[in-house]
Amino acid sequence: MFELPEATCELQSVALDFARERLAPQALEWDRERHFPVEVLREAAGLGMAGLYVREESGGAGLTRLDAAVVFEALATGCPTISAFLSIHNMVAWMIDRWGSEAQRAAQLPTLLTMERIASYCLTEPGAGSDAAALSTRARRDNEGWVLDGAKQFISGAGTSDLYLTMARTGGPGADGVSALLVEKDTPGVSFGANERKMGWNAQPTRQVNFEGARVPADALLGEEGQGFRYAMAGLDGGRLNIAACSLGGAQAALDIALAYVKERRAFGRPVADFQATQFRLADMATELEAARAMLWRACAKLDARSPDATRFCAMAKRFVTDTGHRVADEALQLLGGYGYLADYGIEKIVRDLRVHRILEGTNEIMRVIVARQMLKA
């Protein structure tokens, strides 16, 4: 756990090269123009990054969660927004591989793994965020399949994505009444809201997804009826690790920018790096990132081992790492002073991007609830 395997280091090197060459040079422009770089995502998919932990027999890379976290961290040094979207797409592909039928895997995975088709994850609703089990989007069965009515909120990739893994109520109230359905973009009755104007994550669209009598075939059901909420939560265990990794990568990039800056910037006749206050701040930032990385890697090991306490460790890591990443990025901005506040230096974008990581995949307050509940069961 203290030294990455050689194969993982090779993956990290490939991802860092891709981040440096294909993401970082255009990240500020994508953010400014609110441009979703689908072709660049497909380049990443060509390197195996669209199915990192999909099984090899299904066409994926068959990697561990630790491998995936290392890749997402590396990609986020170039652009946290793009790395985070790849995480979402990977989560959907994995869920189809894990619970889909042989026919669903054959129909969906080949084009998802190349990102010829892009996938989104639809759980959150306008009236059901942290209390996701209270979702009200309903799928009723008829002779031809399922008919969906309702709305999903804050859906990354919405309007562009081709496939929407949607949690809908097929039974009674509560988690046991929720099922998972695969909904195609061109399904009659599916529509999208306006692209939300956001603080960050501007290089990927975020829209509401609306279902008005949207009819999908019977075989759109993923796995078993009534098991959708369990599938959703299992997907989020890995998603929380991935988003934590994206926070690490973004914060590391911000720290690297600040480190280069304080070596060159002079004040009172000396480089800013010569002041002990600067040195202490840099040391604390680096230490905090290493502590966060260690926690993330341990949580990855728990999930890979299918440990009974994996969910608790995933929640702990998500809370700690995303809080730490945002704090370190903000400290990096402070070291640049007024220049940190300017868009051209890139740090203010990182701070904006990482802020949402403390909210999505389950807010950090909900992560505390998960941890405390498991502690009190002991």
Side-chain angles (χ1 to χ4, degrees):
M1 287 302 297
F2 296 100
E3 293 293 338
L4 292 173
E6 183 178 350
T8 306
C9 289
E10 292 173 359
L11 290 168
Q12 182 183 49
S13 179
V14 170
L16 284 170
D17 287 345
F18 189 83
R20 181 175 57 253
E21 296 167 9
R22 299 297 294 127
L23 302 183
Q26 301 177 83
L28 293 179
E29 179 184 353
W30 294 336
D31 176 73
R32 183 175 62 251
E33 301 297 329
R34 302 175 76 201
H35 173 67
F36 190 34
V38 172
E39 291 306 317
V40 176
L41 288 169
R42 288 173 177 153
E43 290 180 36
L47 297 173
M49 295 178 185
L52 289 169
Y53 36 91
V54 170
R55 293 173 300 168
E56 289 183 272
E57 54 265 39
S58 298
L63 301 178
T64 67
R65 296 293 182 155
L66 175 59
D67 292 330
V70 168
V71 168
F72 288 124
E73 178 184 349
L75 291 173
T77 62
C79 182
T81 305
I82 299 306
S83 183
F85 185 80
L86 276 168
S87 162
I88 295 167
H89 180 90
N90 269 267
M91 179 169 64
V92 174
W94 173 77
M95 291 175 73
I96 293 171
D97 183 40
R98 175 66 177 81
W99 289 292
S101 65
E102 184 176 344
Q104 285 172 332
R105 291 195 297 271
Q108 299 291 351
L109 289 179
T111 53
L112 291 180
L113 297 179
T114 62
M115 294 193 82
E116 176 184 339
R117 300 174 75 245
I118 296 172
S120 288
Y121 176 87
C122 301
L123 175 63
T124 299
E125 297 184 0
S130 293
D131 185 12
L135 64 85
S136 60
T137 294
R138 177 161 291 279
R140 58 181 175 82
R141 193 195 297 268
D142 70 5
N143 292 333
E144 299 177 21
W146 302 92
V147 180
L148 278 79
D149 289 284
K152 296 295 182 178
Q153 182 70 297
F154 305 129
I155 305 305
S156 294
T160 299
S161 291
D162 305 281
L163 181 69
Y164 298 84
L165 176 52
T166 303
M167 307 305 156
R169 189 162 303 285
T170 57
D176 291 342
V178 176
S179 298
L181 295 161
L182 297 172
V183 182
E184 299 287 343
K185 177 183 180 179
D186 59 2
T187 301
V190 174
S191 63
F192 305 96
N195 191 5
E196 303 284 3
R197 298 185 63 85
K198 309 187 293 290
M199 177 180 178
W201 268 32
N202 291 318
Q204 57 167 285
T206 302
R207 292 183 171 92
Q208 188 173 87
V209 181
N210 301 302
F211 305 100
E212 298 180 79
R215 186 180 298 278
V216 297
D219 61 7
L221 180 71
L222 183 73
E224 299 178 22
E225 186 175 347
Q227 293 297 306
F229 192 79
R230 181 173 69 84
Y231 301 160
M233 293 303 101
L236 284 177
D237 277 344
R240 287 164 181 161
L241 299 180
N242 296 345
I243 210 65
C246 292
S247 288
L248 271 178
Q252 186 64 60
L255 175 56
D256 291 344
I257 293 169
L259 184 61
Y261 178 84
V262 298
K263 290 178 180 178
E264 296 178 0
R265 175 72 171 176
R266 298 182 68 84
F268 306 102
R270 302 164 57 189
V272 172
D274 285 356
F275 294 102
Q276 190 177 69
T278 302
Q279 294 171 5
F280 280 12
R281 180 171 286 184
L282 289 169
D284 285 346
M285 293 160 71
T287 301
E288 288 171 10
L289 287 185
E290 283 300 326
R293 191 171 287 114
M295 174 169 276
L296 174 61
W297 288 4
R298 187 176 186 201
C300 288
K302 289 278 188 180
L303 193 57
D304 280 328
R306 298 186 181 182
S307 173
D309 57 359
T311 292
R312 175 163 65 96
F313 273 82
C314 290
M316 291 168 68
K318 194 272 179 179
R319 200 287 300 169
F320 183 79
V321 178
T322 59
D323 279 349
T324 299
H326 183 257
R327 183 172 61 251
V328 167
D330 189 60
E331 288 287 330
L333 189 155
Q334 189 72 15
L335 282 171
L336 268 70
Y339 291 105
Y341 204 66
L342 301 182
D344 288 348
Y345 284 77
I347 289 185
E348 63 86 29
K349 173 194 177 298
I350 295 172
V351 172
R352 288 187 288 107
D353 284 348
L354 298 195
R355 181 59 183 87
V356 76
H357 294 189
R358 297 164 62 194
I359 298 171
L360 51 78
E361 309 286 24
T363 67
N364 285 2
E365 289 73 22
I366 291 297
M367 297 305 99
R368 292 177 171 91
V369 171
I370 293 170
V371 173
R373 282 177 178 171
Q374 294 205 4
M375 291 172 64
L376 292 170
K377 284 181 181 177

